[in-house]
Amino acid sequence: MNLILMGAPGAGKGTQSAKISEKWNIPAVSTGDMLRAAVKEGTPLGLAAKSCMDEGKLVPDEVVIGIIKDYLSSDKCNNGFILDGFPRSIPQAEALDAMGVKIDAALSIEVADEKIVERMSGRRICSGCGASYHVKYNPPKTENVCDSCSASLYTRDDDAAETVLNRLTTFHKITEPLKDYYAAKNLLICVEGQEKVEDTTAAVMAALAKFEA
């Protein structure tokens, strides 16, 4: 199964990606992981990416897509793959198609914006051991104090409500149009994100059941 996983920031893509990866024994790959691997291996595309990164520039789409194609054609992806966080735009999706990368399905995890804001702005991270909490779904026993090491908890900049809203605006403008793009190819599968992770996982597995051997 060659799968694209889509959804807003905080929709739970990473969690569900890991569950799908485990069940189907296929790698979940992120753009960042592939870029770092190409840079480390010193491939021509990796060196091109490194020169951009060293200069503080965004890596051009054609370089990113070339690295992705190299990775997806490697032995690691013989049984399939999960693309988590790519493509992020219509031009990236078109470039992926132009390179002959076959996609079996694009799975979108649907979560309302207000739920995303609640989920992400409610996160708290331990300043000592890095443990993760949530003020509603996984609160510490003592407010703002880590259960494990008693260090104070804090809100990451990325999780501040204003930042989350800005990220959602970008998602709706740039990435969400991909749903129509893949729907037109009869590849789009939408799953409603649930309150409980295990309920979302059950819905995801049911939606992907047709790919089971």
Side-chain angles (χ1 to χ4, degrees), residues 25 105 114 139 167 190:
N25 192 30
E114 56 267 27
R167 292 174 69 192
C190 292

Side-chain angles (χ1 to χ4, degrees), residues 12 36 38 46 62 71 75 89 107 110 127 145 151 154 161 177 184 188 204:
R36 283 187 287 273
E62 60 267 23
Y71 189 94
D75 291 344
S89 65
L107 177 72
E110 306 284 307
S127 58
V145 177
Y154 70 98
L188 181 68
V204 165

Side-chain angles (χ1 to χ4, degrees), residues 70-90:
D70 284 352
Y71 189 94
L72 298 184
S73 61
S74 70
D75 291 344
K76 299 171 189 173
C77 298
N78 281 347
N79 294 328
F81 55 80
I82 307 160
L83 275 179
D84 181 1
F86 188 92
R88 292 182 184 271
S89 65
I90 298 288

Side-chain angles (χ1 to χ4, degrees), residues 37-52:
V39 170
K40 186 177 179 181
E41 290 166 13
T43 66
L45 286 167
L47 293 173
K50 185 176 186 301
S51 67
C52 293

Side-chain angles (χ1 to χ4, degrees), residues 1-4 26 65 68-69 72-73 77-83 86-87 93-106 181-182 185-187 210-211:
M1 175 172 58
N2 298 343
L3 180 68
I4 289 171
I26 54 177
I65 293 162
I68 287 171
K69 189 181 182 190
L72 298 184
S73 61
C77 298
N78 281 347
N79 294 328
F81 55 80
I82 307 160
L83 275 179
F86 188 92
E94 290 172 341
L96 206 57
D97 287 344
M99 284 192 151
V101 176
K102 180 179 176 291
I103 300 298
D104 294 312
Y181 181 85
Y182 286 112
K185 295 174 177 288
N186 294 316
L187 296 176
K210 65 180 180 180
F211 293 103

Side-chain angles (χ1 to χ4, degrees), residues 140-152:
K141 293 172 184 173
T142 304
E143 188 176 356
N144 286 324
V145 177
C146 179
D147 294 347
S148 301
C149 70
S150 299
S152 61

Side-chain angles (χ1 to χ4, degrees), residues 7 14 16 25 27 32 47 69 94 101 111 124 127-128 133 145 153 156 177 191-192 196 212:
Q16 298 308 322
N25 192 30
L47 293 173
K69 189 181 182 190
E94 290 172 341
V101 176
V111 181
R124 298 294 182 269
S127 58
Y133 296 88
V145 177
L153 308 183
R156 296 186 310 182
V191 170
E192 292 290 331
K196 294 182 178 177
E212 290 194 69

